[in-house]
Amino acid sequence: MKQVLQAQQVRKLYRLGDHSVNALAGVDFAVEQGEFVAIMGPSGSGKSTLLHLLGGLDKPSEGEVILAGNRLSELNDQAATLARRHHVGFVFQFFNLLPTLTARENILLPLLIDGKDTNGYEERLLTLLDLVGLSERQNHKPDQLSGGEQQRVAIARALITAPELVLADEPTGNLDTKTGRAIMQLLRRSCDEFSQTMVVVTHDPQAAIYADRVIFLRDGLVVQQIHLNPQEPLAVRLKMVMDEMEKLAE
Ligand SMILES: Nc1ncnc2c1ncn2[C@@H]1O[C@H](COP(=O)(O)OP(=O)(O)O)[C@@H](O)[C@H]1O
Ligand SMILES: [Mg+2]
């Protein structure tokens, strides 16, 4: 299988005045095309840091990230930006929607930034609006939308370019259980139908069960990983994830 993403001995040290935080302490892993990976771990374990490094939004202190065949350390900032734009869709924890744009305009933004003519994307836009249940809300601005609706706009925005890789940081973090489940099902479907690769950070086992593989981080290290079978009932997968979380908490 083709590997879309690789982290090799990735370390990240944040310097804060006279002390430093070892956010990532040597992370190795690879993600295959079409795979759905969940990254779990307690608050402060390095999940967001890892996701940012994987998407080339920030640079590791040591080690290498290989994104769609590009060794990110060998690219200058401009080339890294282009690699990201062409291969990655991001869903950020706090949505990052532009307040002055409507839902529809926010979703189209990645195309505009890349200088693409959005006319050719109208059908995809309508499909995505329908998938995320926002067809009736496309002309609303973010402050006229609920948290869950804003999150769904952010997800449609990440999918509009049909990126081969979607990186999502706590995509269900601010949502009620029902909306959260719908979002995870949407990401799962996107993965199954379009062979997109998903890497989703979450601390919620109810969200992690949609993954094929769950990676557990603690203190900046991968301490465990388990494989889930999507054919198994949700309850069985949930138990596997929760058992693992319990073991790691001991
Ligand atoms: N920009 C930053 N500057 C300094 N320390 C940071 C920064 N971002 C994260 N950290 C620290 O790095 C560690 C990992 O953070 P983070 O990746 O956000 O964890 P998580 O997403 O798992 O909660 C934490 O101790 C956090 O305080
Ligand atoms: Mg985080």
Side-chain angles (χ1 to χ4, degrees):
M1 260 314 234
K2 188 178 139 199
Q3 285 180 353
V4 189
L5 191 60
Q6 253 180 290
Q8 298 175 338
Q9 276 302 303
V10 165
R11 293 170 184 271
K12 182 71 182 179
L13 206 67
Y14 289 113
R15 285 198 171 72
L16 293 167
D18 56 358
H19 79 293
S20 55
V21 179
N22 208 359
L24 294 175
V27 170
D28 278 301
F29 84 102
V31 183
E32 288 177 359
Q33 187 182 345
E35 199 180 9
F36 194 138
V37 177
I39 300 177
M40 296 195 83
S43 178
S45 57
K47 304 183 296 297
S48 294
T49 301
L50 179 59
L51 205 71
H52 288 167
L53 298 183
L54 292 177
L57 288 172
D58 197 3
K59 291 188 173 134
S61 310
E62 280 177 51
E64 181 72 273
V65 173
I66 305 173
L67 170 64
N70 301 287
R71 299 178 82 85
L72 293 185
S73 68
E74 291 171 2
L75 304 184
N76 61 27
D77 286 350
Q78 194 190 3
T81 301
L82 286 178
R84 192 164 65 235
R85 230 180 248 169
H86 293 151
H87 299 289
V88 187
F90 277 100
V91 182
F92 294 99
Q93 192 165 3
F94 301 106
F95 323 144
N96 290 6
L97 301 180
L98 291 189
T100 57
L101 300 185
T102 63
R104 171 193 178 85
E105 291 164 342
N106 265 292
I107 296 170
L108 292 172
L109 196 60
L111 300 167
L112 294 172
I113 290 174
D114 206 22
K116 292 215 169 77
D117 178 4
T118 57
N119 285 324
Y121 287 83
E122 189 62 23
E123 203 180 316
R124 182 162 176 86
L125 174 72
L126 294 179
T127 305
L128 280 171
L129 280 167
D130 187 39
L131 275 174
V132 297
L134 287 176
S135 303
E136 312 295 315
R137 295 257 190 286
Q138 57 174 297
N139 294 314
H140 288 55
K141 301 224 169 108
D143 67 357
Q144 300 165 321
L145 297 169
S146 71
E149 288 167 340
Q150 291 182 50
Q151 183 61 303
R152 284 181 274 154
V153 173
I155 286 167
R157 181 185 54 187
L159 300 178
I160 189 75
T161 60
E164 55 191 289
L165 174 65
V166 175
L167 301 175
D169 198 352
E170 304 276 4
T172 63
N174 307 283
L175 308 179
D176 59 86
T177 312
K178 189 162 154 267
T179 314
R181 195 183 309 135
I183 294 291
M184 291 310 294
Q185 283 166 346
L186 171 64
L187 293 178
R188 180 75 237 187
R189 208 157 70 208
S190 203
C191 171
D192 292 339
E193 285 175 20
F194 307 116
S195 205
Q196 275 173 311
T197 309
M198 299 282 160
V199 179
V200 177
V201 163
T202 183
H203 62 263
D204 179 5
Q206 302 271 3
I209 54 175
Y210 292 93
D212 301 309
R213 182 155 61 108
V214 186
I215 287 177
F216 294 88
L217 279 188
R218 192 164 61 188
D219 300 330
L221 283 170
V222 175
V223 287
Q224 178 64 286
Q225 57 171 319
I226 58 171
H227 289 267
L228 299 176
N229 179 355
Q231 310 301 329
E232 296 226 79
L234 287 179
V236 173
R237 287 181 268 158
L238 185 61
K239 185 168 184 315
M240 281 182 75
V241 173
M242 292 185 72
D243 284 352
E244 215 51 55
M245 288 171 77
E246 221 164 274
K247 264 190 245 163
L248 292 170
E250 275 163 14

